[in-house]
Amino acid sequence: MKKFAFGTLFLGVAVLSACGNGGSSDSDVAGDEQELADELYFFNWGHNIDEQILADFEEEFGVEVIYDTYASNEEMLTQINSGAISYDIIIPTDYFIDRMIQMDLLAELNMENIPNFENIAEEFQDLEFDPENRYSVPYLYGSTGLAYNTEVFEEPPTSWEVLWDPEYAGKVTAHDTSRDFVSLALQRLGKSINDLDDASLEEAQGILGDLNDNVLKYTTQPAAELISGQTVASLAYSDQAGIAMAENDAIAYVLPEEDGGMLWMDNFAIPSNANSQYTAEVFINFMLGAEVSKMLTDYIPSSNPNAAARELMSEEELSNQASYPEIPDSSEYYVDPTQDETRAINRIWNEVRAQ
C-alpha cells in the first residue's frame, strides 16, 4: 500500500509494570526462558501506527523501539537486501511476502510466541501469498476502489467506466502507479488483474489512452481533490477515501459491483537476519491484543483483520464504507508479476502517459 514520507523516530525506554493495554504480557507467550533484546528495530510504512502504541510496548516490556519508515515496498526491499540495518519487524504488502519468501529473506514464525494470532478473523488467515501463515501475520487490510461525489452520482457507480466517461473529463484522478493503472483497464475489460499475458496487456493498453485524456492528475493521495470538489471520481485506496469522507459528507466509496476492485493486506514479517526473532514475536503478539489492535485502526482509517478488535468497535465504525465496504466476488489480491510482466506493465504506463 502506498503511504508517505521517510523518517526516523527513537522512542524512549521505561521499565515499568504491565499496564493492561490489551496486548499479551511477557509471561503470556511461550518460551519465557528466552530473553527480550534491549532494542527492537521496526521498519514500517510512514504514518502507519499510533506512536503511543510503541510507547506502551516500551513501557510494558522495557524494550526500546527504533522506528524507521519507508514509502514503498520496493524501498523496503532494497533496504532489507542491503543489510545496512538488521530490522526485527517489517510490514510488506501481500504479494511482496511471496516475493521475499522466494528470496529467502523472511524467517519462519514460531506461533507458540504469538498466541494472539487466534484473534485474526479466519477469512484473513491462510491466504495464497503465505499459506498457513508460516512467514506473516495480518497487520491491516484495505481495498482500491472508487471514491465519488454523491452530489454528482445519485447511485453508486457499478463500473470503472465512469473514469473514462467524457462527461467527467478533467474531473477524475487515477493512481500514479503502473500496476494499478493497468489493472483498471484489465478489470474494465472483464479480466483478472493478474492476466498479464501479452494479448491481455495489449488490449488494456488499447483503452488506456482514453482514460489518460480524462485524468486531471495521477496521484495515490486524491483526498484533497475529493474534499475540495475539484474531482468527482477517483481511483482511491480505502484509507484515502476514509480521509475524504471524514472531511466532505458528499464523498462515498465503493468497489464497483461489475468490475470488482483491488484488495491489499499489509503484514507483520520478520527478516531472516533479524537481531531478535523472539522479541519481534513478542511485539507481534502485543499488537494482536484486542485493545491495541483497535487503537491501531482508531488512528489509521484502514480495515482491521482482528476479529477481537472488531468486537470492541461501535456499529458506526463497522458501517464505515471506506473501512468495511461490500466486496464483490470479482475483487482480487495481486499476484507477484514476473520480471518480463513488470517490464511490460511499466512500458504501457510510460507509453500511455507520453501520448
Side-chain angles (χ1 to χ4, degrees), residues 16-134:
L16 300 173
S17 60
C19 58
N21 55 10
S24 295
S25 69
D26 196 7
S27 60
D28 290 332
V29 297
D32 285 347
E33 71 281 357
Q34 300 185 67
E35 291 187 3
L36 291 167
D38 293 332
E39 298 172 330
L40 177 81
Y41 285 77
F42 184 16
F43 202 24
N44 192 4
W45 295 89
H47 298 276
N48 207 32
I49 195 169
D50 185 343
E51 294 172 14
Q52 184 59 48
I53 293 174
L54 303 183
D56 289 347
F57 177 79
E58 291 185 322
E59 181 176 328
E60 183 165 343
F61 293 97
V63 175
E64 180 182 11
V65 179
I66 299 172
Y67 185 63
D68 291 344
T69 65
Y70 52 87
S72 70
N73 282 295
E74 290 79 7
E75 180 185 343
M76 177 272 297
L77 182 59
T78 298
Q79 183 75 355
I80 296 301
N81 259 329
S82 76
I85 299 176
S86 295
Y87 287 101
D88 299 299
I89 294 282
I90 54 176
I91 310 291
T93 305
D94 39 71
Y95 68 93
F96 259 77
I97 292 286
D98 182 36
R99 181 182 301 187
M100 296 181 79
I101 292 171
Q102 300 306 317
M103 295 173 71
D104 243 357
L105 291 175
L106 299 182
E108 189 165 346
L109 302 175
N110 180 356
M111 284 300 187
E112 290 186 4
N113 292 328
I114 314 175
N116 281 337
F117 179 75
E118 67 181 12
N119 289 342
I120 298 296
E122 187 174 346
E123 62 264 34
F124 300 113
Q125 299 181 26
D126 195 29
L127 296 179
E128 184 177 359
F129 58 85
D130 182 17
E132 301 178 6
N133 291 98
R134 292 175 60 195

Side-chain angles (χ1 to χ4, degrees), residues 315-329:
E315 186 173 336
E316 181 180 0
E317 289 173 304
L318 292 172
S319 64
N320 184 314
Q321 283 302 298
S323 297
Y324 304 102
E326 293 292 325
I327 300 178
D329 291 340

